[in-house]
């Protein structure tokens, strides 16, 4: 009976130790997985912030690239909004731009909604404010967005014998995103300007611009009176330039 008792004790102690080891191993695995998730997300967050902050480099004709991990975080693109420009009280837009944004997401990690670069204004007067980087949480997933769904507008007024004329120089920076997934632990995001800008110009009696922001879920309409001190009925001349920025992920 003593031998049986000692054997049972040994088995019991071994079982308890194995159970504790299993719990500790599982806890270590979960902790490491959580640490890796947090670390990779924060790396992506910094990468998106860096791309937004450096987008002026490819806009000015250079190129910019940054490496990213490709373990848990997904990266892709999608529609983030649209811009419609109307002239002379028309209900049909003379120019329509559908905005594409770079999107990255990870599940099981919560972050508060925030604008981490740029702002939520849709008309800007500084090239550095063209890109915007947002993070949002919903349905168990935290997402990062990089978009350029805004217009860079510069205006001036000239006065002559026929009165005042307002000139508007409007620039839109369209994002085209190419994905080439590779079976490797790290990837590269490369941003460059593609081709020459498309230019549209003309004369109008009035203008309105409608912005649909899919991420924030709102629509904003702006008129020249929002952009400058133009009185009603003042004629305007516009020049619209559309630049194509390519983001390649491989």
């Amino acid at each position: 009976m003593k031998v049986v008792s000692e054997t049972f004790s040994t088995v019991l102690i071994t079982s308890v130790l194995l159970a504790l080891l299993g719990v500790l191993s599982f806890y270590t695995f979960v902790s490491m997985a959580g640490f890796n998730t947090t670390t990779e997300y924060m790396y992506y967050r910094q990468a998106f912030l860096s791309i937004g902050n450096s987008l002026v480099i490819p806009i000015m004709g250079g190129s910019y690239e940054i490496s990213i991990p490709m373990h848990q975080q997904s990266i892709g693109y999608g529609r983030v909004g649209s811009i419609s420009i109307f002239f002379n009280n028309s209900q049909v837009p003379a120019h329509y731009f559908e905005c594409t944004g770079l999107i990255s997401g990870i599940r099981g990690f919560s972050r508060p909604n925030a604008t981490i670069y740029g702002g939520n204004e849709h008309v800007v007067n500084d090239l550095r404010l063209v890109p915007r980087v947002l993070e949002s949480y919903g349905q168990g997933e935290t997402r990062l967005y990089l978009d350029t769904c805004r217009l860079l507008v510069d205006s001036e007024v000239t006065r002559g014998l026929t009165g005042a004329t307002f000139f508007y120089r409007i620039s839109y920076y369209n994002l085209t995103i190419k994905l080439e997934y590779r079976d490797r632990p790290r990837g590269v995001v490369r941003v460059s300007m593609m081709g020459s800008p498309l230019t549209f110009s003309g004369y109008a009696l009035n203008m309105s611009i409608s912005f649909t922001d899919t991420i924030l879920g709102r629509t904003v309409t702006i008129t020249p009176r929002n952009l400058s001190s133009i009185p009603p009925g003042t004629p305007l001349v516009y020049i619209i330039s559309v630049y194509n920025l390519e983001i390649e992920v491989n």
Side-chain angles (χ1 to χ4, degrees):
M1 293 293 294
K2 184 177 181 181
V3 174
V4 173
S5 178
E6 290 177 352
T7 302
F8 177 76
S9 298
T10 303
V11 171
L12 180 61
I13 293 172
T14 302
S15 299
V16 171
L17 289 175
L18 288 174
L20 288 174
L21 181 61
V23 170
L24 289 174
S25 298
F26 177 75
Y27 176 78
T28 301
F29 172 78
V30 171
S31 299
M32 287 300 296
F35 175 78
N36 291 338
T37 298
T38 303
T39 302
E40 188 165 314
Y41 174 81
M42 296 308 293
Y43 193 103
Y44 265 74
R45 187 180 189 274
Q46 187 59 40
F48 271 55
L49 181 60
S50 181
I51 295 169
N53 188 53
S54 303
L55 204 63
V56 66
I57 297 174
I59 286 177
M60 298 301 291
S63 63
Y64 177 79
E65 67 177 45
I66 189 170
S67 63
I68 54 171
M70 304 190 78
H71 294 288
Q72 303 178 64
Q73 189 104 358
S74 63
I75 189 166
Y77 62 91
R79 182 178 182 273
V80 296
S82 64
I83 303 173
S84 300
I85 303 178
F86 303 86
F87 294 112
N88 303 324
N89 297 320
S90 173
Q91 300 300 310
V92 179
H95 302 282
Y96 175 80
F97 309 116
E98 190 164 289
C99 306
T100 299
L102 186 68
I103 305 173
S104 179
I106 193 165
R107 300 196 65 82
F109 182 69
S110 175
R111 292 280 300 180
N113 297 345
T115 302
I116 59 179
Y117 183 83
N120 294 319
E121 297 296 325
H122 296 94
V123 171
V124 297
N125 58 6
D126 190 327
L127 191 60
R128 294 169 296 181
L129 297 178
V130 168
R132 176 183 66 172
V133 179
L134 296 172
E135 61 181 343
S136 68
Y137 177 77
Q139 298 181 339
E141 182 180 47
T142 294
R143 286 190 171 191
L144 288 164
Y145 296 88
L146 168 68
D147 75 274
T148 55
C149 199
R150 53 202 44 79
L151 297 178
L152 176 68
V153 178
D154 177 44
S155 64
E156 64 179 81
V157 61
T158 62
R159 300 185 184 278
L161 296 176
T162 58
T165 301
F166 278 76
F167 286 86
Y168 289 91
R169 296 179 180 87
I170 302 171
S171 299
Y172 170 61
Y173 295 87
N174 178 62
L175 288 185
T176 298
I177 299 171
K178 295 173 58 178
L179 301 180
E180 295 185 12
Y181 289 107
R182 308 280 180 88
D183 185 17
R184 59 186 182 183
R186 301 192 71 80
V188 175
V189 178
R190 184 177 296 104
V191 189
S192 57
M193 185 71 76
M194 302 300 293
S196 301
L198 294 175
T199 302
F200 309 92
S201 60
Y203 171 89
L205 295 177
N206 54 58
M207 172 178 67
S208 65
I209 307 171
S210 179
F211 297 88
T212 298
D213 192 326
T214 304
I215 305 173
L216 298 181
R218 68 186 188 189
T219 298
V220 178
T221 299
I222 294 174
T223 67
R225 296 191 70 186
N226 301 123
L227 303 176
S228 58
S229 57
I230 182 172
T234 303
L236 58 92
V237 175
Y238 63 88
I239 300 174
I240 303 174
S241 299
V242 181
Y243 299 84
N244 190 41
L245 286 166
E246 182 180 85
I247 298 182
E248 184 180 1
V249 183
N250 56 34

